[in-house]
Amino acid sequence: MFISVIRTVILYVFIIVMLRLMGKRQIGDMQPSELVVTLVVANLASIPMQNTSQPLLSGIAPVLALVSLELGVSVLMMKSRSLRRLVCGSPVVVIEDGRLLQKQMKRLRLTTDDLCAQLRQQNIFSLEDVQYCIMETNGILSVLEKPHKRKPCADDLDILIPDKKIEAVAVSDGEILKTSLDLCGHSEDDVFNILNSNNIDLDEVFLMTLDGNGSYRIIKKEK
């Protein structure tokens, strides 16, 4: 029993490292090759977990080979568009200038129900509102609404909006997040100066946000 737990922990850590090497993606954003590798890696890792008589290396070696192959193919795809099209496919236009392309939908085996469901997820409830719709290689729809249905932006209204810079979480549950501080262009000294000016100790902070202009918000821990 103890050996099974140790093997499981080792494989768990190993799989996390391998998936990190493959890059940060959600399941819905994965290309077909990445999804296949992820599923196969999970299956290979489960074999030595369930069967303690199986050498641990028999699960690790194939996973290493698969991840190495995936990384190699990814590098080649960056240099070769033809290989990328072969492995990942190409985006397909299903609505062009307001016209539904039925042949392309049949090619993708995309039903009208599926199309409308994905449009509704983007707050579009009528096909009449769509000018262009493209099925990306990861299966997600990219949609451009017709001009009269698009939300106006500041340029359209000739409005000058002040730049507040990016806002990031500077302190979370009494801990300073250095990566977030780098993102908004501040340092730990800036955080302590703000806290001192408000007579608040770091341990008392549940959440503190800070933007590039120095604007902040502090939420203290509940006692």
Side-chain angles (χ1 to χ4, degrees), residues 30-95:
M30 286 185 173
Q31 299 294 346
S33 61
E34 295 171 330
L35 182 58
V36 168
V37 170
T38 302
L39 295 176
V40 174
V41 162
N43 288 330
L44 288 172
S46 65
I47 296 174
M49 282 185 189
Q50 298 170 353
N51 187 2
T52 54
S53 63
Q54 191 88 6
L56 194 61
L57 191 61
S58 66
I60 293 178
V63 171
L64 276 173
L66 271 175
V67 173
S68 299
L69 183 61
E70 170 61 24
L71 293 175
V73 171
S74 299
V75 172
L76 291 175
M77 285 195 298
M78 292 176 63
K79 298 180 179 180
S80 173
R81 292 182 60 87
S82 57
L83 178 61
R84 180 174 176 80
R85 285 196 299 269
L86 179 64
V87 175
C88 301
S90 301
V92 178
V93 178
V94 294
I95 297 179

Side-chain angles (χ1 to χ4, degrees), residues 204-219:
E204 299 177 35
V205 180
F206 177 71
L207 176 69
M208 175 180 171
T209 60
L210 185 63
D211 66 23
N213 290 335
S215 299
Y216 60 88
R217 182 188 181 195
I218 300 174
I219 299 176

Side-chain angles (χ1 to χ4, degrees), residues 176-190:
I176 295 178
L177 306 181
K178 296 181 180 179
T179 304
S180 298
L181 288 177
D182 292 339
L183 187 63
C184 62
H186 288 282
S187 64
E188 293 185 38
D189 291 337
D190 295 329

